Amino acid sequence: MQKALSTSDKELSMNAKRFNWPLLLGFLLTLFASLSYFLLFVLFPLTRDFPWVNLLLFVVALGLLAVGLRRTLTENRGKLSKIFQSLVVGLGVLIFGLFLFNFFVVAKWLPASQGAPHIGQKAPEFTLADANNKQVSLNELLTSPINDKAPKGVLLIFYRGYW
């Protein structure tokens, strides 16, 4: 049997400040959603063109941040606690906004690579410096023997962006 709580116990339990786990979980999920884009970009080609997984994570994170902010502002908390937790929510929303800005605006600033060869298309002749600063041409790579055998081809890797 439960014994009845006294009035002071009820007041203490009503005024007890609960840990704001939705706020913390929402902020951590916001960080994970923004940083996981790079991991998902490398591992799963399906997420390269549109970050649908990350946007889904951001929606869940923003929901948790909203619940955490509501909990912060409606419960009896100190002024400093309300300010700090509101700043955490603001930082989470800022991270989401920067992610959207980077993906949908900054990515459009990159010029299209119209002269790049397509898959299966023969690359134009070029000469570049190797790791030892020695000039190497595509023709030289295709004709010079490797382990006393003629090479069958050359693998060219193109990076997205300019760096």
Side-chain angles (χ1 to χ4, degrees), residues 89-157:
V89 170
L91 186 59
V93 171
L94 179 68
I95 289 170
F96 176 57
L98 287 175
F99 180 83
L100 290 178
F101 182 75
N102 263 342
F103 191 81
F104 293 108
V105 176
V106 174
K108 303 292 184 217
W109 294 345
L110 292 173
S113 58
Q114 298 180 10
H118 300 285
I119 296 173
Q121 181 182 358
K122 184 173 178 173
E125 181 60 35
F126 63 86
T127 303
L128 295 172
D130 66 1
N132 298 323
N133 222 12
K134 177 186 165 206
Q135 295 295 319
V136 180
S137 68
L138 177 62
N139 189 29
E140 181 183 334
L141 291 172
L142 289 170
T143 56
S144 60
I146 301 171
N147 296 333
D148 297 326
K149 295 180 185 175
K152 296 179 182 177
V154 175
L155 174 65
L156 300 176
I157 300 173

Side-chain angles (χ1 to χ4, degrees), residues 9-58:
D9 288 340
K10 285 181 185 178
E11 287 174 7
L12 183 61
S13 66
M14 290 180 82
N15 290 336
K17 295 175 183 139
R18 297 180 294 166
F19 182 70
N20 199 348
W21 64 266
L23 184 76
L24 178 64
L25 187 61
F27 183 72
L28 292 176
L29 192 58
T30 301
L31 290 176
F32 178 73
S34 63
L35 297 175
S36 69
Y37 173 71
F38 302 106
L39 177 67
L40 293 173
F41 183 86
V42 171
L43 294 179
F44 303 105
L46 184 64
T47 62
R48 288 185 187 157
D49 293 331
F50 191 78
W52 57 272
V53 174
N54 300 90
L55 292 177
L56 184 63
L57 288 172
F58 272 121

